[in-house]
Amino acid sequence: MGTAVAQVTGGARLGPALAALAGAFMLQITANFANDVFDHEKGADTHERLGPTRAVQAGLLTARQVRAGMIITIALAFLAGIYLTWVAGLAIVVIGVASVLSAVAYTGGPYPLGYYGLGDVFVMAFFGFVAVCGTVFVQTGAVPPLAWLAAVPVGAIATAVLVVNNVRDRQTDVKAGKRTLAVRYGRRAGVGEYVGLFALAYAAPVVAVVVLHRPPLVLLPMATLPMAIRLVRTLATTEGKALNACLVGTAKLLLFYGVLFAAGLVGPGIGR
């Protein structure tokens, strides 16, 4: 979506786009490694785990091995960051350092963000605004209003993935001292947050057309609305491991929504 915004606001650049993608992959894997090892050490991942298999908890890898993997992915993200800094300036250093710290501090360090109910805020910020606006910035040198708007549905649906996790795991999280929003306010609040995040996501294309005067093709993501409605029903009526299907479905929704939004942005210019 960031590259689609760059294309229609200043022109996409293949090198920075691919480097941003590579850096994002590495930071995502870093966060997954960090969650795997630190959740296990803090007691959040036990034999009662309901989510997909994690390497340390299942005995597939040692904590030391996962830590080594985390260091390697941070180093690979750093390499992408060097190139992006050369292309877009020192602002990328700030973004990169903040991204790495947040990826590790989500479950690690003296103040693990996810354990204090701050995970939702940081996912919205980094998966949405930093990811999309940063991708636009390294290609165009600017962050236009359309970039901020496009970041909203990406961050919202990515946060919705976290909400499914938190609703599913709220009982085991209590035992581990993990005070997510679903733990603090209960299942109903978690479902309400999920619905609210989807509402934000589906309002974005309408705002793009009405306020930013983008072509009606930007409304293509509305085709995924029935999928979103089914996911809400699943989250509201399902418990335990069965919610893993809702987790996968929400991630797929983010992919489908993003592809359609991007296609709607660049579609009118194809063939000109």
Side-chain angles (χ1 to χ4, degrees), residues 41-193:
E41 292 178 349
K42 288 180 168 59
D45 282 348
T46 66
H47 66 281
E48 296 179 314
R49 177 172 170 79
L50 299 173
T53 301
R54 280 188 168 172
V56 178
Q57 185 273 326
L60 301 174
L61 294 170
T62 65
R64 183 176 180 178
Q65 289 171 324
V66 174
R67 276 194 170 87
M70 183 173 64
I71 292 170
I72 291 170
T73 54
I74 291 173
L76 292 172
F78 179 73
L79 292 177
I82 292 175
Y83 169 73
L84 291 173
T85 301
W86 176 66
V87 169
L90 291 177
I92 302 304
V93 175
V94 177
I95 293 172
V97 171
S99 297
V100 170
L101 289 176
S102 295
V104 174
Y106 182 77
T107 51
Y111 194 86
L113 302 169
Y115 283 71
Y116 290 92
L118 296 174
D120 309 66
V121 174
F122 277 78
V123 169
M124 184 71 186
F126 283 89
F127 282 72
F129 295 108
V130 173
V132 176
C133 295
T135 300
V136 177
F137 179 74
V138 297
Q139 295 181 71
T140 68
V143 184
L146 181 60
W148 294 101
L149 180 64
V152 171
V154 175
I157 303 177
T159 305
V161 175
L162 176 64
V163 172
V164 177
N165 265 330
N166 291 346
V167 170
R168 182 198 62 210
D169 295 341
R170 65 191 187 281
Q171 294 176 350
T172 53
D173 283 347
V174 168
K175 298 177 184 178
K178 197 172 185 179
R179 304 292 292 171
T180 66
L181 296 183
V183 168
R184 292 172 183 268
Y185 303 110
R187 175 193 178 89
R188 182 175 295 181
V191 175
E193 181 187 3

